[in-house]
């Protein structure tokens, strides 16, 4: 762990701050954003293969704190790149023995492209590759702090927003190595703005769409997680499915600094952990220039007849309008 301290310090000193995933991304050339987030997850139970809740064995527990650092930059209005690091700190108990493990779980690299925008609607696509820093040692004695697999994720996000409301819908495909199942990751949500404060609801989830290589023998995974992770199916689960509900608040200090606070709980799932999530995310950025207003985004008020609504010059202002009219006769030339 100590070998990563210089790298963390370097990122913090360069970017000031760094996040949990932000779906409402700005698409403005030259914009730089950095994020820092910390998320706490606590679980005392699982969802079984049929979706019923099951408590962990007596005295067992699972807790995880995830810390993510990331940065994003846009070279053009519609295209950005980003990178980040994800650290996990896991504390578990199987009722007999307590375990703890801290690890750099993933490096991530990604890019996003805005493919459509008008006054209220926008759509962008996102590609992200997460490279695992560690693999699962099924005979080891350390708590498992990640799925231990590389992930390639592609997704599309649709956003609607006006002066007060924002809504989003998201769907994507997550291919995972090491024999783990492939997932569809999805989410919907929205918030309302009270000036600098936004309050909203978020529903993130994922579902298995391609079977795990251990589908026929899930006990192989369960024996490992029962021994080192208190039986929790937060990581290394076979064919997991999960849906969570979160409420959140975001406070903005101008356009450059925002703090997000959120909390929630899983509401349904199968072959996955059931528990509470709470977190903080800080976003700092700069370079938000105003976009040029495009002619197609403005109403066409030219050449309107007098009986139609639209812009007209007020001629009833007490000024002789004749002085603005062109003379119909050319002035006589001066005599030499």
């Amino acid at each position: 762990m100590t070998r990563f301290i210089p790298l963390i310090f370097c990122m913090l000193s360069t970017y000031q701050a760094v996040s949990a995933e932000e779906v409402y991304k700005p698409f403005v050339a030259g914009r730089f954003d950095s994020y820092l987030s910390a998320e706490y997850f606590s679980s005392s139970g699982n969802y079984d293969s049929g979706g019923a809740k099951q408590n962990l064995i007596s005295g067992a527990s699972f807790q995880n704190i995830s810390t993510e650092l990331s940065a994003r930059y846009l070279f053009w209005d519609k295209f950005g790149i980003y990178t980040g690091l994800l650290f996990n700190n896991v504390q578990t108990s199987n009722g007999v023995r307590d375990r703890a493990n801290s690890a750099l779980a993933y490096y991530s690299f990604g890019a996003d492209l805005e493919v459509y925008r008008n006054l209220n609607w926008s759509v962008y696509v996102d590609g992200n590759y997460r490279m695992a820093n560690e693999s699962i040692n099924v005979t080891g004695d350390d708590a498992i702090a990640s799925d231990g697999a590389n992930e390639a994720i592609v997704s599309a996000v649709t956003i609607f927003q006006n002066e007060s409301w924002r809504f989003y819908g998201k769907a994507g495909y997550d291919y995972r190595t090491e024999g783990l199942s492939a997932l569809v990751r999805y989410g919907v949500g929205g918030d309302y703005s009270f000036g600098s404060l936004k309050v909203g609801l978020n529903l993130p989830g994922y579902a298995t769409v391609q079977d795990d290589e251990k589908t026929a023998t899930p006990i192989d995974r369960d024996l490992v997680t029962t021994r080192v992770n208190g039986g929790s199916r937060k990581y290394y689960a076979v064919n997991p499915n999960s849906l969570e509900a979160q409420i959140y608040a975001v406070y903005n200090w101008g356009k450059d600094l925002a703090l997000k606070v959120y909390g929630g709980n899983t509401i349904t799932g199968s072959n996955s952990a059931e528990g509470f999530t709470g977190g903080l995310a800080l976003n700092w950025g700069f370079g938000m220039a105003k976009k040029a207003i495009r002619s197609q985004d403005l109403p066409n008020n030219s050449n309107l007849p007098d009986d139609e609504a639209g812009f007209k010059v007020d001629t009833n202002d007490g000024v002789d309008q004749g002085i603005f009219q062109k003379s119909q006769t050319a002035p006589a030339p001066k005599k030499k």
Side-chain angles (χ1 to χ4, degrees):
M1 181 66 185
T2 56
R3 66 182 184 274
F4 298 117
I5 293 177
L7 177 59
I8 300 170
F9 178 79
C10 179
M11 290 188 69
L12 287 172
S13 62
T14 303
Y15 300 139
Q16 301 295 315
V18 169
S19 112
E21 181 187 24
E22 175 55 58
V23 294
Y24 302 106
K25 298 182 179 182
F27 283 90
V28 179
R31 174 72 180 184
F32 172 83
D33 281 283
S34 57
Y35 302 89
L36 170 62
S37 70
E39 181 176 283
Y40 172 77
F41 177 78
S42 177
S43 175
S44 59
N46 291 320
Y47 294 101
D48 65 17
S49 58
K53 293 183 181 180
Q54 293 180 329
N55 292 329
L56 300 182
I57 59 176
S58 179
S61 63
F62 178 92
Q63 297 180 66
N64 182 54
I65 298 176
S66 294
T67 305
E68 186 176 358
L69 303 94
S70 64
R72 176 175 178 262
Y73 182 76
L74 283 90
F75 291 97
W76 303 283
D77 275 354
K78 296 181 178 296
F79 179 73
I81 61 171
Y82 57 90
T83 184
L85 302 173
L86 177 65
F87 299 85
N88 284 334
N89 182 288
V90 173
Q91 294 183 339
T92 71
S93 176
N94 60 7
V96 177
R97 180 180 170 186
D98 297 338
R99 289 176 173 84
N101 188 17
S102 297
L104 170 59
Y106 294 102
Y107 308 91
S108 64
F109 311 90
D112 40 47
L113 175 68
E114 187 178 68
V115 295
Y116 175 78
R117 172 176 290 275
N118 64 20
L119 284 176
N120 297 114
W121 291 92
S122 64
V123 179
Y124 70 86
V125 293
D126 186 293
N128 180 23
Y129 185 75
R130 302 207 309 172
M131 184 169 59
N133 183 57
E134 60 178 6
S135 58
I136 304 300
N137 182 0
V138 296
T139 61
D141 200 44
D142 292 330
I144 295 174
S146 73
D147 285 321
N150 299 334
E151 299 182 53
I153 307 169
V154 293
S155 57
V157 181
T158 299
I159 293 173
F160 171 84
Q161 54 187 335
N162 56 28
E163 291 184 358
S164 300
W165 290 97
R166 299 189 303 183
F167 298 98
Y168 85 92
K170 175 182 179 179
Y173 181 80
D174 182 357
Y175 172 78
R176 303 190 295 170
T177 62
E178 306 302 318
L180 298 182
S181 61
L183 307 173
V184 165
R185 295 190 178 272
Y186 61 92
V188 293
D191 57 39
Y192 184 80
S193 177
F194 299 89
S196 297
L197 177 67
K198 292 181 174 66
V199 178
L201 174 68
N202 187 28
L203 297 169
Y206 58 84
T208 291
V209 291
Q210 183 177 338
D211 281 346
D212 192 291
E213 69 176 14
K214 296 289 187 180
T215 298
T217 56
I219 189 65
D220 293 349
R221 298 268 177 83
D222 288 338
L223 287 174
V224 177
T225 55
T226 298
R227 179 168 52 85
V228 299
N229 272 26
S232 174
R233 290 175 175 167
K234 173 65 173 177
Y235 299 122
Y236 206 50
V238 176
N239 297 341
N241 301 275
S242 181
L243 178 63
E244 186 175 354
Q246 299 176 353
I247 56 173
Y248 67 88
V250 180
Y251 189 82
N252 293 273
W253 288 271
K255 294 181 178 180
D256 295 333
L257 188 63
L259 176 66
K260 180 178 181 179
V261 181
Y262 61 96
N265 208 91
T266 52
I267 54 178
T268 188
S270 63
N271 298 322
S272 58
E274 184 272 335
F276 166 80
T277 298
L280 296 169
L282 183 66
N283 169 214
W284 175 78
F286 59 86
M288 177 66 85
K290 289 185 178 180
K291 285 190 175 182
I293 298 177
R294 303 174 299 174
S295 59
Q296 61 265 39
D297 291 337
L298 295 175
N300 182 10
N301 287 332
S302 60
N303 302 319
L304 292 175
D306 290 342
D307 58 348
E308 290 291 332
F311 173 77
K312 293 190 223 175
V313 176
D314 183 8
T315 58
N316 298 316
D317 54 2
V319 177
D320 181 6
Q321 301 298 313
I323 63 176
F324 301 111
Q325 303 297 323
K326 292 184 178 179
S327 175
Q328 301 298 319
T329 57
K334 294 182 179 179
K335 295 183 179 181
K336 294 184 179 179

